[in-house]
Amino acid sequence: MKKSMFMAALLMSLMFILAACGGGSAEDPTDESTEANTEGSETSSDEEASASGSVSGDGSSTVAPILELINEDFNAENPDVQVSIGVSGTGGGFEKFVAGETDFQNASREIKEEEITALEDAGIEYTEFKVANDGLTVAVNTENDFVDYLTFEELQTIYSGEATTWSDVRADFPDEEITAYAPDQSHGTHDFFKEAVMEDGDITAELNQDTNVISQSVTSDVNSIGFFGYNFYMVNEDNLKGVPVQGPDNDEPVEVTEETVMSYDYPLARPLFVYAKNESLESNESFMQFMEFTIDNASSAAEEAGYVALTEEEMQEQVDKLSEFQ
Amino acid sequence: MELINKEQVSKKLSGRLMVNKVMKFIFLLCTLVGLVVLATLLIDTILDGWRYLTVDFFTNFSSSRPDNAGIRGAIIGTLWLMATTAPIAIILSVGTALYLEEYAPKNKLVDFVKINISNLAGVPSVVFGLLGLTLFVRMAGLGNSVLAAALTMSLMILPVIVVASQEAIRSVPGSIREASIGMGATKWQTITRIILPASIPGIITGIILALSRAIGETAPLVIIGIPTILLFTPTGVLDTFSALPMQIFSWVKLPNPEFQSITAAAILVLLFILFLMNSVAIYIRNKYSKRF
C-alpha cells in the first residue's frame, strides 16, 4: 500500500521529465524537415558555405518588428542559422551589447555618449547601420477639434508639466485639463523626444512601458495627448488624430506622412538603427550573411512593419558600409 | 429563578439575526467580487482568443505576420524550462526540507535559517531575475540559456517547496517515527520507508503549485534577457529559448490589433496548462491526504 503510493508519487515527479522528452521528440521530425529544406536551398542558391552558426541581437521594441520580419524571411532561406533577438528596449539592449553578449543591437535613437565610452572601455568596435525611417507621431483624441498644429515650444510646455490646461498651451485653446502620455525611459522613443523637443529636460507625463496603452489612452481620453512611433499611428489612424508639428527649422507645421518623414521635413523624423559588432561581422559568417540580408530587405520589411523606407541614397550608404567588411 | 431571561433574549434576538444576515451578505459579496472578475477575464479572453486556437497556432513559430503567428517555439521552450527547473528545484528543496526537519540540530542558527527561507518566499521575482543575471548568465557564463533560466526559476520556487515539504514532513506523527527507530531502523531508513511515503502527497502538491508559479513567471525571464524573436527550439540545456509568458508579453505590445487576439489565444493555452497542473495537485492531495 505504502509502496504503491510512493511509486505513484515518483511517477508524478517523473511526469515533468517525460513532458520534456515529449517536447524533445516532437521537434525531431521538424529537424529533419529543416535539413531537407537546407538541401533544397543549397542546390538552388550558390551559398556553398550554408552557414549554421548562431546570431544574437537585442534592443529596441520599435525596431524589433522590422527585424522579426527580416528574420522570418532569412530563416526560410537559411534554416540552419539560429537567430535570436530579444526585445529589452534600446537602453537595456545596449547594456547587453556592451557586455559583449549580442552581435547586434537595435536602436530607435542614436548611440549615447556614455554608451560609446562604455563600448570603448569594453574594447568593442561597432558599425552603425540605418534600417528604416520613423516619424515620431504626436496624436490627440479624434474629438479634439481645436488642436490644428503644435510647435516644439508648445510641446515643451505640455511635456514639462508647465501647462496643466490646454489654454496654458495656447490662449485660444479651451480651458480643459491636459493628460499627457508618453513611453517610459526604457524606450528610445522617450530619449529621442527628450533630446529633440525637451532640450534634455525631463518629460513629465504619464509614462508607460506598453505603447499600446498610450495609443488606447489617447483614443479614449478626450483631452489627452500622446506620442509614439509612426507604425502605432498607422494601425490606429481611424481612432487617433495626428498633429502636424512645427520644429525650429520649419516655416510652417508639417504633417507626418511617408514623404515628409523620408525627406526629413517632418521635424520628428528619425532613423532606426542596427548597431553591429565589427568583430562578429569579421569572424561570424552567419552574422555577415544575416546583416547582408537585413540591409537588402530593410526597406520592404520597414514598410510592411508600418515604417518608412530609407531613400535609395541612404540605402547605398549602408550597403557600402557593410561591403567594407567583406 | 429562571436561568434564561426570556424577555431579554427575545428583545435582542432579532438584532442578532439581523447582524448575522448582513454579515452573510457582505461575505457573499466578497466572494462574488473575485469570482466575477475571474469570470470576466476568462470570458473576455476566450471570446477574444478562441478563433486563433488552430493546429497552425501550435505548429507555427512566432511571426510578425498575424496569420503565421504561433506558439511552437514558446511552448516547447516552456516545456524545456519546466523539465530542467523541476529536477533542480525538487532535489534542492526536498533535500533542504529533510535536512532541516530530520537532521539539523535544534538551535538558534537553524531557526534563523528556517525563518529566512520563509522570508525568501516573499521576495519579488524581479530580484531573483537580477540574481540570475549576475550569477548564472554573467558570472557562470551560461548566457540566456535554458539552464540559466532554470537555475533562476529553481531558486525562485525553492522556498515555496521547502516550506510545503517541511509542513508535510512535520505532519508525520512522531509515534510512527519513533516506532521505526525503535525497531532499529536508521534515520535514512526511517526517511525512505516511513517519512517520505507519508509526506509525499504534501510535497508533490507543493512542487506542482510552485511549478505552476514558475510556468507563468515573466519578470525573471525578461531580466535574464530571454529572446522572443527566434525560429528554432533548443536541443540542449545550453541553448537559448523562448517561453510562453515572454511570448505573451511581447505580442501584447505589438501595434497590430490582431495580435491582441493572438495574445488572448496564447493566454488560454497558458491558463489551460496551469489548470491542468493545479488539478493534478488537488487530485493528489485528495487521494492521499487521509493517511493517519
Side-chain angles (χ1 to χ4, degrees), chain B residues 199-215:
Chain B
S199 59
I200 222 131
I203 295 176
I204 298 267
T205 310
I207 290 170
I208 294 179
L209 291 179
L211 285 176
S212 7
R213 182 185 166 200
I215 205 171

Side-chain angles (χ1 to χ4, degrees), chain A residues 33 42 82 101 137 140 175 186 214-215 228 232 255 298 300-301 312:
Chain A
S33 70
E42 261 172 28
Q82 301 196 323
E101 289 165 5
T137 307
V140 293
D175 189 21
S186 72
I214 300 169
S215 72
F228 26 74
F232 276 91
E255 212 176 313
S300 58
E312 296 215 349

